[in-house]
Amino acid sequence: FKLRLPNDSEMSKALETMNFYQSSKKYSKFILGKIEEHNTKVAVDYRNPKITIEHIMPQKINKEWIDELGDNYESVHKNYLHNIGNLILTEFNSEIGNKSFSYKKQKLNTSSLNYRLYIINKETWNETSIKEHQRNMIAWFLETFPLPEFYRDEENWNMKIAESEV
């Protein structure tokens, strides 16, 4: 068999464009929980049904969110809704669902999860904010799930045939 580990650059590119929420549905809570755990050194019970994935920009946008997102709101909503830059774990999902960004910030301020710190310090939540948060989340992902040093930047295709295949 051929062994293939995507390097950090490839993982970053994939995380920038993938539909993280749906593509990794089985694992997204686990991954976000592990990132939180890595950053805070506090275990996150990602199996707890009260802790869920929150879309900061909600799945259904209203007038307030259209104003928040700006003129290209349709494009931003389409391209970043399920992106890792628009997602956090929270214990308040059912309470903050489609609420305004300012309301979400107030509620997140009482959260015990570290993700909120970046979010509550933003004045607005738009494409720029999502991309900034995306860069943070990808960096944290790579720190949380590091490859061995040798593989991080290498084109690491293993083209040798394993001895057992010969």
Side-chain angles (χ1 to χ4, degrees):
F1 73 97
K2 293 183 170 80
L3 173 65
R4 175 68 169 92
L5 291 172
N7 64 30
D8 283 2
S9 175
E10 292 167 313
M11 281 304 300
S12 294
K13 285 180 185 149
L15 287 167
E16 282 175 11
T17 57
M18 79 182 288
N19 178 330
F20 185 84
Y21 182 71
Q22 293 176 327
S23 296
S24 58
K25 198 145 182 110
K26 286 183 178 179
Y27 306 104
S28 51
K29 245 177 100 170
F30 167 78
I31 291 168
L32 294 176
K34 287 299 177 186
I35 291 171
E36 174 76 14
E37 213 169 282
H38 176 79
N39 286 349
T40 62
K41 311 302 181 227
V42 175
V44 174
D45 184 5
Y46 56 87
R47 290 185 178 99
N48 180 341
K50 288 182 181 177
I51 295 179
T52 59
I53 296 175
E54 168 66 17
H55 289 78
I56 300 160
M57 169 183 56
Q59 296 187 64
K60 291 183 179 152
I61 56 173
N62 55 27
K63 173 78 170 96
E64 267 182 300
W65 273 100
I66 289 171
D67 293 344
E68 183 82 28
L69 296 171
D71 290 340
N72 61 342
Y73 71 91
E74 289 171 323
S75 170
V76 173
H77 193 257
K78 179 180 179 237
N79 293 325
Y80 295 103
L81 177 63
H82 299 304
N83 184 278
I84 196 167
N86 190 49
L87 304 172
I88 60 170
L89 287 183
T90 181
E91 54 274 73
F92 303 121
N93 192 311
S94 61
E95 299 169 48
I96 62 177
N98 289 7
K99 299 277 195 305
S100 70
F101 182 58
S102 58
Y103 180 85
K104 286 187 178 201
K105 284 185 358 173
Q106 288 173 358
K107 200 69 180 162
L108 289 172
N109 200 31
T110 65
S111 172
S112 61
L113 298 171
N114 188 53
Y115 294 115
R116 69 185 167 80
L117 298 176
Y118 176 81
I119 311 302
I120 61 177
N121 288 316
K122 298 309 284 178
E123 289 299 315
T124 59
W125 195 256
N126 54 25
E127 184 174 17
T128 302
S129 309
I130 294 168
K131 284 180 165 181
E132 287 172 5
H133 190 241
Q134 176 192 71
R135 281 190 291 277
N136 289 340
M137 293 298 287
I138 291 171
W140 293 336
F141 177 94
L142 295 174
E143 289 170 13
T144 304
F145 303 102
L147 288 173
E149 190 69 40
F150 174 76
Y151 293 106
R152 288 185 187 160
D153 299 312
E154 294 297 315
E155 292 296 328
N156 52 45
W157 290 94
N158 180 353
M159 300 308 281
K160 296 177 188 170
I161 297 174
E163 299 225 359
S164 61
E165 291 182 13
V166 178

